Amino acid sequence: MQSTVKPKTMGQEISFLKSIRRIEPRNVALGLLLGCFLVTFAYFSMTKFDTFHFFIVNSPSTENVATPSGAFVQNMVSLDSEQPDTVPSRKDNFSKDVPQIDLDNEVQNVPTEGENRNITSINSNNSSVISKFDLISEESVESTVQELDGSIIEETKETTDACDKNHELCSTGNESAFNSSTNASISTTVPPSIDSKLSDTTVELKTEIKKQVPLCDLSQRRIDKCEIEGDVRIIGRNATVMWVPSPESDGGPDYERKVWQIKPYPRKEDPAAMSHVRIVTVKPTDGPNDAPTCTDHRDVPAVVFSDRGYTGNYFHDFTDVLIPIFTTARRFQGEVEFLITDFRIYWIMKYLPIFKNLTKYDLVDFDADEKVRCYKKAYIGLTSHDDFGIDPERIPERYTLVDFTRFMRTTYGLERDIAEIPIQKTLGRKPRLLIVARAKTRRFMNLDEIVRAAEKLGFEVVATEATDELVRFSVVVNSCDVIMGVHGAGLTNMVFLPINAVFIQILPWGGLEWVAGNYFKRPVEKMKLKYLQYDIMPEESTLIEEYPRNHTVFTDPASIRRQGWNALKEVFLDKQNVRLNMKRFRPTLKKALKHLNSVDS
């Protein structure tokens, strides 16, 4: 049925024209300007915030949204082990041609040079997410998203139509993007046309998710270690340390969702030493519901370490455990708890005074402990810088070996902190010389001759083998001004010497200067002791009785060393004893005596 329109009468037309003529041109211009502004504002609002809303709807997860300074999505990346097999598809709401987030590929829509495109990216480590949109205000975002919630499908249809026309912004990549692993980067692109139109009237909102850091550090040469803050739960029998992202962890670091296997002993490059060290598993959990309930709470930090490896050798006891545990735990002034894996009671008892001076708490046998111990901070592995060394530049407290030796003297109640030089003038007695007389290998074959020569020079001599009775033997060492012996673990007793004392190392035949320097010369000097070294000649070695003088043992000892540590140890350390040429050795003793009686020393 056709509708009819009655023509206007001549009088109506004349009246309309007169009314138009009465409108002032200025009002017409203002009206047009206002109309353009309203249309433009509506267009920008609808288009810009549709893009933002579209990104939010297509995000894999929008759980745990927080907005302290702008909205951010926290749970975009989860633990690999906790990923669902599939993520619900969005095909019910969107055309497959609409730009989607592809988790299989790092970036699907890469902006070309010169284009002003804002990218939101989440990398595979979830280390940082920067959401970058040009928005008029934060309040506008919330209200606009709510207003557009009912019309998003219609807007998506318009976008689909544009994609059907091969629009350059509609490259989608993989249709099954939402079924991909989250070990990939996520990106979405804001169309450059919208961005350029709003560049003069909008502000940027940047929201950064807290950077995730590793639970453990594997970069150090001597040891792999972990330092964990927050809600830390430890089950020794299971050799498991867990970090729990709970309210107690708020304010602390956010750790990578990765499981670590750690052997807490500082010789990680030595398979022989590490072969018997127990592995400790360090891992994050999903939250308190995924973690065992605490049975013991501590307000002090925990330190987990092993006493296995090469311990039992006196030198390695110090360089692998005692110095590292001092460097790690001394700062806590006793307010720390030790959890020891590979627990050996006889070894612990030998050094119990040291442990008792570092912690006020009972030592925990980690492997036999069934409790769920909870801490606010935990260290798995010790701080170990070098063989018998501390690098003060790498620790906040700037401890040195002087601090360590002072700690040892305090622990064993030793009286002398500094050797009073000049000895004879200050103390009215002769300088005391301690000769570490080994009983098995690298023995002094002419010990009596050495003692007589030293006494003749003016020393009071004490010749004895080092013992495990540290309480007694530490007093003997501390009372002496000089310690001397053939290269070996017994010289480790230098830690009880007072500052300014003298250390004399007799180096066996075999070109072992590198051993002497790394293991004793460098630490001795850092303890503020006087280092002297005497290298024996082939005629002073009992090897001359086993090998002819033209044997490679004497002519090319480096060829023995190139065969490896076992060959070196067998020939130059286990088979060799020493017979000092006193005429040749006497100047070394005189140097020690001069140092002790010199006012300028």
Side-chain angles (χ1 to χ4, degrees):
M1 180 177 180
Q2 294 184 351
S3 61
T4 60
V5 179
K6 295 182 180 181
K8 295 180 180 180
T9 65
M10 183 62 69
Q12 289 175 329
E13 292 177 350
I14 293 173
S15 177
F16 176 75
L17 292 175
K18 286 180 180 182
S19 63
I20 292 177
R21 212 178 307 152
R22 286 196 296 267
I23 298 175
E24 295 182 5
R26 182 177 60 183
N27 293 337
V28 173
L30 290 174
L32 291 174
L33 182 61
L34 179 61
C36 290
F37 174 80
L38 292 175
V39 172
T40 303
F41 179 81
Y43 171 78
F44 289 163
S45 298
M46 295 292 290
T47 308
K48 186 67 177 180
F49 294 127
D50 279 359
T51 303
F52 175 81
H53 187 270
F54 177 68
F55 169 77
I56 295 297
V57 171
N58 277 280
S59 297
S61 173
T62 54
E63 298 175 3
N64 298 334
V65 177
T67 57
S69 61
F72 69 86
V73 181
Q74 186 171 14
N75 293 331
M76 298 292 283
V77 179
S78 304
L79 268 170
D80 294 345
S81 60
E82 299 163 2
Q83 290 300 313
D85 294 334
T86 61
V87 179
S89 172
R90 308 290 180 169
K91 291 184 178 180
D92 293 340
N93 293 333
F94 301 106
S95 167
K96 67 179 181 179
D97 295 326
V98 177
Q100 296 184 8
I101 300 170
D102 190 347
L103 300 180
D104 285 328
N105 302 287
E106 288 198 4
V107 177
Q108 289 299 323
N109 298 318
V110 180
T112 60
E113 184 176 358
E115 290 183 333
N116 179 18
R117 300 189 184 182
N118 298 320
I119 303 298
T120 299
S121 176
I122 300 177
N123 62 27
S124 59
N125 292 324
N126 196 20
S127 62
S128 176
V129 178
I130 304 295
S131 300
K132 192 176 181 185
F133 294 99
D134 294 335
L135 304 177
I136 292 178
S137 68
E138 292 183 42
E139 294 79 4
S140 307
V141 173
E142 181 177 357
S143 61
T144 304
V145 168
Q146 292 175 353
E147 292 171 7
L148 297 181
D149 195 45
S151 60
I152 187 65
I153 297 178
E154 182 63 25
E155 295 299 324
T156 304
K157 182 179 179 181
E158 295 178 6
T159 308
T160 304
D161 294 338
C163 292
D164 292 338
K165 297 178 181 180
N166 298 319
H167 194 283
E168 63 179 14
L169 298 176
C170 295
S171 176
T172 62
N174 195 323
E175 285 187 15
S176 59
F178 286 96
N179 295 330
S180 308
S181 167
T182 54
N183 283 335
S185 295
I186 307 173
S187 69
T188 185
T189 306
V190 179
S193 58
I194 299 174
D195 185 77
S196 61
K197 290 179 181 179
L198 294 177
S199 60
D200 294 333
T201 60
T202 60
V203 293
E204 291 185 349
L205 175 63
K206 295 183 179 180
T207 305
E208 185 172 353
I209 291 179
K210 184 187 297 184
K211 182 179 180 180
Q212 287 189 336
V213 296
L215 279 166
C216 301
D217 177 12
L218 309 186
S219 65
Q220 299 185 34
R221 179 177 63 87
R222 288 180 58 82
I223 189 170
D224 296 331
K225 57 180 296 188
C226 314
E227 182 174 333
I228 312 172
E229 296 181 49
D231 185 349
V232 185
R233 307 187 188 187
I234 300 177
I235 307 177
R237 179 173 287 277
N238 296 341
T240 303
V241 178
M242 290 165 283
W243 173 73
V244 182
S246 68
E248 294 183 19
S249 298
D250 291 347
D254 184 23
Y255 294 102
E256 292 179 356
R257 304 311 194 256
K258 181 178 179 180
V259 178
W260 304 79
Q261 303 286 326
I262 301 296
K263 288 189 173 185
Y265 183 83
R267 286 202 173 265
K268 73 176 189 179
E269 295 180 347
D270 188 333
M274 303 301 286
S275 60
H276 299 295
V277 178
R278 190 183 188 196
I279 294 174
V280 177
T281 299
V282 182
K283 65 180 183 179
T285 67
D286 288 340
N289 294 334
D290 190 42
T293 303
C294 300
T295 59
D296 282 52
H297 289 271
R298 286 281 190 267
D299 290 328
V300 300
V303 177
V304 179
F305 65 94
S306 172
D307 68 351
R308 191 55 64 92
Y310 288 145
T311 57
N313 174 286
Y314 193 48
F315 175 84
H316 286 285
D317 291 347
F318 278 84
T319 191
D320 293 352
V321 178
L322 298 179
I323 292 177
I325 194 67
F326 167 84
T327 308
T328 304
R330 181 59 173 169
R331 73 190 73 170
F332 301 118
Q333 300 299 312
E335 296 298 329
V336 62
E337 189 168 47
F338 297 153
L339 286 69
I340 307 174
T341 183
D342 309 309
F343 194 96
R344 291 188 289 181
I345 188 64
Y346 75 89
W347 189 88
I348 295 296
M349 294 305 297
K350 178 178 179 179
Y351 298 109
L352 189 60
I354 298 175
F355 290 113
K356 290 179 69 175
N357 203 19
L358 288 171
T359 177
K360 299 176 182 177
Y361 300 86
D362 292 338
L363 305 180
V364 177
D365 183 347
F366 185 77
D367 302 343
D369 189 34
E370 296 182 349
K371 296 181 178 179
V372 180
R373 299 179 181 267
C374 296
Y375 303 88
K376 296 178 181 178
K377 192 161 189 175
Y379 301 83
I380 296 81
L382 304 174
T383 300
S384 178
H385 298 149
D386 210 340
D387 283 312
F388 226 107
I390 301 174
D391 184 355
E393 300 297 327
R394 295 167 62 183
I395 49 178
E397 297 75 18
R398 300 183 64 83
Y399 292 132
T400 66
L401 281 177
V402 172
D403 297 311
F404 175 72
T405 56
R406 184 174 290 116
F407 165 80
M408 292 296 296
R409 291 189 291 270
T410 301
T411 297
Y412 287 92
L414 306 180
E415 296 180 357
R416 298 178 71 208
D417 192 54
I418 300 177
E420 305 82 352
I421 295 176
I423 298 294
Q424 199 155 359
K425 183 177 179 180
T426 303
L427 299 180
R429 65 165 175 80
K430 295 179 180 181
R432 298 190 72 186
L433 169 65
L434 172 62
I435 300 176
V436 179
R438 296 174 61 92
K440 296 180 180 179
T441 63
R442 284 160 277 158
R443 291 182 294 125
F444 286 119
M445 303 300 293
N446 58 337
L447 179 61
D448 292 342
E449 181 184 2
I450 296 170
V451 171
R452 289 194 301 270
E455 290 176 338
K456 189 175 181 179
L457 285 174
F459 285 101
E460 178 186 343
V461 180
V462 178
T464 181
E465 184 179 9
T467 70
D468 288 342
E469 299 177 9
L470 293 186
V471 174
R472 181 189 67 83
F473 194 68
S474 62
V475 175
V476 174
V477 176
N478 185 251
S479 69
C480 294
D481 309 296
V482 183
I483 185 173
M484 67 168 277
V486 181
H487 172 82
L491 292 177
T492 306
N493 285 291
M494 63 189 177
V495 298
F496 302 117
L497 285 174
I499 292 172
N500 289 334
V502 180
F503 177 96
I504 302 174
Q505 179 174 206
I506 312 299
L507 200 61
W509 176 258
L512 304 179
E513 289 81 4
W514 62 276
V515 176
N518 288 339
Y519 292 168
F520 288 108
K521 181 178 186 296
R522 176 177 45 77
V524 162
E525 292 175 342
K526 291 187 176 182
M527 293 177 187
K528 294 187 178 181
L529 306 176
K530 176 69 175 178
Y531 178 83
L532 297 175
Q533 181 174 309
Y534 178 79
D535 299 349
I536 73 170
M537 298 297 291
E539 289 73 20
E540 296 175 277
S541 170
T542 56
L543 292 176
I544 199 74
E545 301 170 3
E546 296 191 35
Y547 301 95
R549 189 64 175 80
N550 61 355
H551 193 277
T552 54
V553 166
F554 300 110
T555 60
D556 187 17
S559 64
I560 307 295
R561 298 196 304 270
R562 285 194 293 270
Q563 296 176 31
W565 173 255
N566 289 334
L568 180 154
K569 181 176 181 293
E570 179 184 358
V571 175
F572 296 130
L573 297 180
D574 294 344
K575 289 184 177 181
Q576 185 171 195
N577 294 316
V578 174
R579 182 177 288 105
L580 289 180
N581 180 337
M582 290 310 301
K583 182 177 180 179
R584 185 169 176 266
F585 178 66
R586 188 173 288 108
T588 303
L589 289 176
K590 288 183 176 180
K591 287 181 182 178
L593 199 61
K594 182 179 179 180
H595 170 77
L596 294 172
N597 286 324
S598 173
V599 178
D600 298 331
S601 297

